[in-house]
């Protein structure tokens, strides 16, 4: 008999294409996950996985079953949420996904307000890259995701929250640090640091470099905003950093100068998204409005979208 757990394992394997990482994602041992995938193949009497020496690939049938399994898992999670909602209203646990370029600098400002308004609500938070968060939202691993936009998925509902400026940070001894305001022409040929691929911010900064005739340092991509800050402080390159991060991690430190820049529309948009079928949609809309209100009150550098 095919079990929901086996389908979960297959979906995890389709995402990771690696038995060990898929097992870690599912919090089981690699032999357990491998044995359950083999049991699923025996039950279906069909190969689902191509096992090679260096990588794992799903067969065409395996990919089709994994795609359908995602929908089944999400539907089952909606049933669980519906039952919990009927018994407890807005009690229980909400699973929130957020990128590391955003969560640590936004959530401290809103969590206390959420707890005050919903004292019996528990918030489970996990960080990840935006594409991974959206995939796990689709499969039911998350109830809610806060992420840079755009988020384009037919099964998701999106509430735009605010625009967050990107600010230019350079080492204190960088030639640009002596300028009062930076113009586009000042950035031609400048070496620019960016976070690693997989983040919206990487794509945005890459496009910005193309537009400004600046040079993206692809060999020096940072694994975090802190890594970029440190490299910028050492003069490796200049960095476009989100305003909330600047406020949290740079404004009170020495070593970096934050500059005004005469480039229009230099910001990222942040949104809140959930599955359209979610029984918690009314709650999530309240979350969105609470985040906007808190941002207006405590984060003057951002522009709320209503």
């Amino acid at each position: 008999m095919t079990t929901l757990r086996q389908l979960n394992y297959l979906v995890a394997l389709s995402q990771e294409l690696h038995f060990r990482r898929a097992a870690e994602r599912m919090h089981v041992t690699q032999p357990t996950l491998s044995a359950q995938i083999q049991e699923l193949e025996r039950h279906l009497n069909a190969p689902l996985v191509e096992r090679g020496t260096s990588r794992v690939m799903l067969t065409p049938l395996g990919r089709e079953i994994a795609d359908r399994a995602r929908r089944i898992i999400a539907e089952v999670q909606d049933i669980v949420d519906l039952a919990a909602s009927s018994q407890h209203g807005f009690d229980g646990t909400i699973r929130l996904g957020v990128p590391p370029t955003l969560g640590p600098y936004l959530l401290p400002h809103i969590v206390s307000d959420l707890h005050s308004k919903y004292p019996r609500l528990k918030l489970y938070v996990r960080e990840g890259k935006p594409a991974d968060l959206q995939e796990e939202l689709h499969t039911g691993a998350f109830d809610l995701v806060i992420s840079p936009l755009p988020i384009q998925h037919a099964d998701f509902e999106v509430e735009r929250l605010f625009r967050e400026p990107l600010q230019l940070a350079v080492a204190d001894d960088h030639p640009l640090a002596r300028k009062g305001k930076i113009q586009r022409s000042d950035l031609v040929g400048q070496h620019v640091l960016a976070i690693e691929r997989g983040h919206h911010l990487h794509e945005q900064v890459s496009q910005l470099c193309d537009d400004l005739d600046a040079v993206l340092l692809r060999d020096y991509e940072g694994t975090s905003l802190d890594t970029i800050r440190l490299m910028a402080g050492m003069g490796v390159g200049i960095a476009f950093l989100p305003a909330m991060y600047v406020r949290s991690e740079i404004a009170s430190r020495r070593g970096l100068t934050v500059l005004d820049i005469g480039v229009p529309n230099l910001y990222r948009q942040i949104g809140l998204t959930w599955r359209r079928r979610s029984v918690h949609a009314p709650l999530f809309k309240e979350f969105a409005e609470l985040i906007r209100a808190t941002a207006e009150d405590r984060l003057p550098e951002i522009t709320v979208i209503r």
Side-chain angles (χ1 to χ4, degrees), residues 27-236:
H27 306 291
V28 297
T29 64
Q30 181 175 331
T32 295
L33 184 136
S34 181
Q36 286 299 306
I37 294 291
Q38 290 176 342
E39 181 63 26
L40 179 61
E41 289 176 315
R42 281 194 292 270
H43 178 73
L44 298 176
N45 194 29
L48 305 178
V49 180
E50 297 177 6
R51 297 166 175 84
T53 57
S54 59
R55 61 178 301 187
V56 173
M57 296 181 62
L58 267 63
T59 65
L61 177 63
R63 291 194 298 271
E64 176 66 22
I65 292 175
D67 287 341
R68 296 191 182 200
R70 289 183 181 90
R71 295 194 290 271
I72 292 170
I73 293 164
E75 291 285 357
V76 170
Q77 187 59 54
D78 286 341
I79 291 171
V80 173
D81 290 343
L82 180 62
S85 178
S86 67
Q87 294 178 10
H88 305 296
F90 288 159
D91 295 356
T93 301
I94 296 297
R95 297 155 299 174
L96 172 66
V98 63
T101 61
L102 176 63
Y105 319 109
L106 173 65
L107 294 184
H109 298 284
I110 65 174
V111 166
S112 60
D113 289 348
L114 283 172
H115 183 64
S116 296
K117 187 167 183 178
Y118 309 103
R120 299 178 64 184
L121 182 69
K122 296 179 178 62
L123 192 66
Y124 166 79
V125 181
R126 187 159 64 83
E127 294 181 345
K129 293 181 179 179
D132 294 337
L133 297 177
Q134 291 177 42
E135 175 65 26
E136 292 185 80
L137 176 65
H138 186 219
T139 60
F142 289 117
D143 302 301
L144 192 63
V145 166
I146 304 176
S147 176
L149 302 179
I151 296 173
Q152 297 175 335
H153 198 295
D155 291 337
F156 292 170
E157 186 166 347
V158 179
E159 284 269 341
R160 295 191 302 162
L161 298 174
F162 56 81
R163 292 191 296 269
E164 180 187 16
L166 299 183
Q167 298 180 330
L168 181 63
V170 304
D172 288 342
D173 59 356
H174 193 283
L176 292 180
R178 297 191 293 271
K179 288 182 171 284
K181 186 171 184 177
I182 304 301
Q183 304 299 327
R184 292 179 62 97
S185 58
D186 295 317
L187 299 172
V188 175
Q190 291 290 338
H191 290 177
V192 178
L193 296 159
I195 198 164
E196 64 185 352
R197 291 170 178 82
H199 293 275
H200 280 86
L201 189 57
H202 173 91
E203 303 304 323
Q204 189 171 7
V205 171
S206 178
Q207 183 61 55
L208 186 61
C209 287
D210 291 341
D211 294 342
L212 297 172
D213 291 325
V215 179
L216 183 64
L217 296 176
R218 299 188 183 277
D219 291 337
Y220 294 92
E221 293 175 352
T223 56
S224 67
L225 294 180
D226 284 341
T227 304
I228 297 172
R229 169 175 57 83
L230 293 171
M231 288 193 291
M234 292 296 294
V236 176

